[in-house]
Amino acid sequence: MRKIEVLNMISVDKFKGVFVALNTIYDDNDNINTEEIKKLVKIYKTKGVKGVYVCGSTGEGFLLSTEERMQVAEAVKEASGDDFTVIVHVGCAGTKESIKLAKHAEKIGADAVSAVPSVYYRLSPECVEKHWNGIIDSTDLPFIIYNIPQLTGFNLPLDLFKRMAENPKVIGIKNSEEPVYNMERYRTVAGDDFIIFNGSDEQFLGGRLMGANAGIGGTYGTMPELFAALDKMINENRIEEAKKLQYKINDVIFELLSYESLYGAAKQVISHRFGINAGKPRSPFLEVEYSDRLQKTIDKIEKYVSELGEY
């Protein structure tokens, strides 16, 4: 079956737009807080984003047990309903656990699964291909490659990407490597009917201009309105406006990165902006305490959101 036929069957539009890389929330005993996760997902449904990416880097996926990852996915899908796209990251060090998570994602009605290469062992491209194909073959769900070499240590070769993109079930790539140059390479190789998610938040505009047609990001969760507006400006070819908004977004990202823990700071922002208890990140990540300094970051986000108007 040709890729375009597969994409038509699954409705390609559900994968275009802005996707929040969802923070996993824990209770005071470090257990998964499904109720707060559901509240947060329902909030994002009102903020102009297309869906969520679950248990990835921002979701602290590699700090969760397989059972915890299933808990998170179930809570997210329950809160999302059928009108909010859910992509579940199922990447693990071993293929067996990844397949288990992929089958669970299919069972609960997720829209797609995604995975990083097998980590730690610095495997060859042939091993990574075997790992990904094992996941792909285990379900009928579409698959999205997750390329983040700065964390996995695996630089995706273009020939491997080409082979993967030829599989009709591989509908896209979440590309979080920093050079936007490869967005164009992936687009050229895979064609127009392939979903390329920009993964570097501070280069959303650059990534979109170089070939990405969607975005997944960890800081989106703190300011989803800004990224939704940026996406709309790009789609309408309002590039000068988009550039100014990207500068504002980067101003916030720069501040978030200045804290001891990006995830700790993001969870504080989410808690105070949206009135939920996003808690703290799981150890060994550091907690960030609420402070006047943090409130200034929140105030800056609110200011930028208020300046959007109807955008």
Side-chain angles (χ1 to χ4, degrees), residues 36-256:
E36 293 300 299
I37 289 172
K38 291 176 189 177
K39 289 179 187 177
L40 185 56
V41 170
K42 290 176 180 178
I43 289 168
Y44 288 145
K45 287 185 71 173
T46 71
K47 299 298 181 181
V49 301
K50 186 63 69 74
V52 287
Y53 187 88
V54 184
C55 293
S57 303
T58 300
E60 302 172 46
F62 280 98
L63 301 183
L64 308 179
S65 68
T66 298
E67 290 69 27
E68 286 177 322
R69 289 171 75 163
M70 291 179 178
Q71 274 186 275
V72 174
E74 288 173 11
V76 170
K77 181 56 187 173
E78 181 180 332
S80 295
D82 296 326
D83 59 345
F84 201 58
T85 304
V86 176
I87 303 169
V88 180
H89 175 255
V90 300
C92 298
T95 309
K96 182 178 179 179
E97 287 301 299
S98 293
I99 288 174
K100 186 176 181 180
L101 287 167
K103 288 183 174 180
H104 176 263
E106 182 176 43
K107 180 180 177 181
I108 66 172
D111 296 284
V113 292
S114 177
V116 293
S118 179
V119 296
Y120 182 76
Y121 286 105
R122 300 291 175 126
L123 297 173
S124 67
E126 291 75 19
C127 291
V128 171
E129 185 173 11
K130 178 182 178 183
H131 177 65
W132 278 337
N133 282 331
I135 300 169
I136 292 164
D137 293 342
S138 70
T139 78
D140 290 327
L141 290 176
F143 180 81
I144 296 163
I145 296 166
Y146 185 4
N147 182 43
I148 184 165
Q150 59 268 42
L151 292 184
T152 64
F154 182 80
N155 291 298
L156 178 62
L158 202 59
D159 59 345
L160 173 56
F161 171 75
K162 183 178 181 180
R163 291 197 301 274
M164 297 302 303
E166 288 170 351
N167 186 327
K169 289 168 70 176
V170 179
I171 65 162
I173 180 171
K174 178 184 186 294
N175 185 42
S176 296
E177 62 183 332
E178 294 179 355
V180 296
Y181 160 75
N182 278 333
M183 298 292 186
E184 179 272 322
R185 291 289 83 200
Y186 296 145
R187 175 62 65 214
T188 298
V189 168
D192 293 337
D193 61 335
F194 197 77
I195 309 299
I196 300 178
F197 296 91
N198 182 82
S200 179
D201 301 7
E202 63 273 24
Q203 297 184 127
F204 185 91
L205 174 59
R208 287 292 312 279
L209 292 177
M210 289 296 285
N213 50 4
I216 298 171
T219 65
Y220 294 13
T222 65
M223 45 185 162
E225 307 96 327
L226 298 184
F227 279 97
L230 179 56
D231 184 64
K232 186 172 187 286
M233 290 173 184
I234 296 167
N235 289 337
E236 295 175 352
N237 202 32
R238 293 153 56 193
I239 303 305
E240 284 303 314
E241 290 178 74
K243 188 194 300 183
K244 291 176 182 177
L245 182 52
Q246 181 74 76
Y247 289 171
K248 292 178 179 179
I249 286 170
N250 288 357
D251 188 24
V252 176
I253 292 174
F254 181 80
E255 289 193 13
L256 291 173

